[in-house]
Structure formats: structure tokens, C-alpha cells
């Protein structure tokens, strides 16, 4: 499929988002068994695995051609990145529907969890 139209790109991204959300819904019982503080990471992993189960190479090329994120380095916040692209293409999301698993959130989690594991970094 040739994604030279932004409408086609938007349709494909929307379909990917639907698949991501459906996978999370399908795995609700499993997610309930995971500690609440790990829920965002667990959902992000499901979103990421859903995306990587698809061949999106051509879509990624067209996203890049149109100056949009190609989703290539968004592992830590894949659903929110996809939502950000869709917002740039005109989608709007009701309050509370945007994924809280953002790049900034995940950077904070890395720092927090690193400190839990290794302690605070010593300043020399």
C-alpha cells in the first residue's frame, strides 16, 4: 500500500491504535495480576508487542517522508507516540484518553527505579 496520502497514514495509525487497545482489553485478567505501579509499563509492553507484530516498514518510510515520527525509537511510550502523531494529523482525544505513558514519564521512572536499585548517584 502506498501511504502518499496523509488520510491513508491516519487510517493505518488508527487501525494500529485499535489493535493495541484491543490487546490490552484481551489481557485484562493478566494485567490485574500485576502490581498497580507496574500497570503503565505492562500496558506499554502489550502496545509495543502489538505494533511489532505488524509489518510497518512502508508506513514508517511515509511517516518519515511527511516529517512525522516513524515510531522507530518510541519503545518506552509507543501508544502515546502514536497518539501524538494522530493529533498532528487532526485527531482529538477526550480528557483522560491520552496514554499517561509519555517519554517524560518513562524518563522519570528510569531515574526513580535506578535510585531504588542502586541508590542516589554520588557527586564527586
Amino acid at each position: 500500500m502506498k501511504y502518499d496520502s496523509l488520510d491513508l497514514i491516519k487510517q493505518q495509525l488508527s487501525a494500529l491504535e485499535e489493535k493495541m487497545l484491543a490487546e490490552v482489553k484481551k489481557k485484562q485478567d493478566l494485567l490485574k495480576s500485576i502490581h498497580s505501579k507496574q500497570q503503565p509499563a505492562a500496558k506499554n509492553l502489550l502496545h509495543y508487542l502489538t505494533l511489532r507484530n505488524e509489518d510497518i516498514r512502508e508506513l514508517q518510510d511515509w511517516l518519515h517522508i511527511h516529517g512525522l515520527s516513524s515510531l522507530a525509537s518510541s519503545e518506552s511510550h509507543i501508544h502515546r507516540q502514536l497518539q501524538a502523531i494522530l493529533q498532528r494529523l487532526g485527531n482529538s482525544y477526550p480528557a483522560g484518553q491520552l496514554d499517561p505513558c509519555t517519554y517524560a514519564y518513562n524518563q522519570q521512572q528510569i531515574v526513580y527505579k535506578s535510585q531504588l536499585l542502586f541508590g542516589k548517584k554520588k557527586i564527586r
Side-chain angles (χ1 to χ4, degrees), residues 2-66:
K2 194 170 182 182
Y3 297 101
D4 54 356
S5 159
L6 289 176
D7 286 335
L8 287 173
I9 292 171
K10 187 175 175 180
Q11 288 171 13
Q12 184 66 30
L13 292 172
S14 294
L16 286 169
E17 183 178 27
E18 287 176 24
K19 288 178 182 180
M20 288 177 178
L21 296 174
E23 190 62 26
V24 167
K25 190 173 183 176
K26 189 167 94 177
K27 303 282 188 197
Q28 279 304 306
D29 288 339
L30 175 64
L31 288 169
K32 287 177 187 174
S33 70
I34 296 172
H35 192 281
S36 61
K37 288 186 178 181
Q38 299 302 323
Q39 292 286 323
K43 288 178 183 176
N44 185 67
L45 178 59
L46 289 172
H47 293 148
Y48 178 75
L49 293 173
T50 300
L51 179 72
R52 291 299 168 215
N53 198 38
E54 303 288 322
D55 182 1
I56 62 166
R57 291 174 291 181
E58 188 177 2
L59 173 61
Q60 287 178 305
D61 289 343
W62 283 101
L63 286 166
H64 181 74
I65 288 167
H66 287 287

Side-chain angles (χ1 to χ4, degrees), residues 64-79:
H64 181 74
I65 288 167
H66 287 287
L68 299 165
S69 168
S70 65
L71 303 170
S73 59
S74 305
E75 296 87 356
S76 68
H77 59 289
I78 195 68
H79 182 219

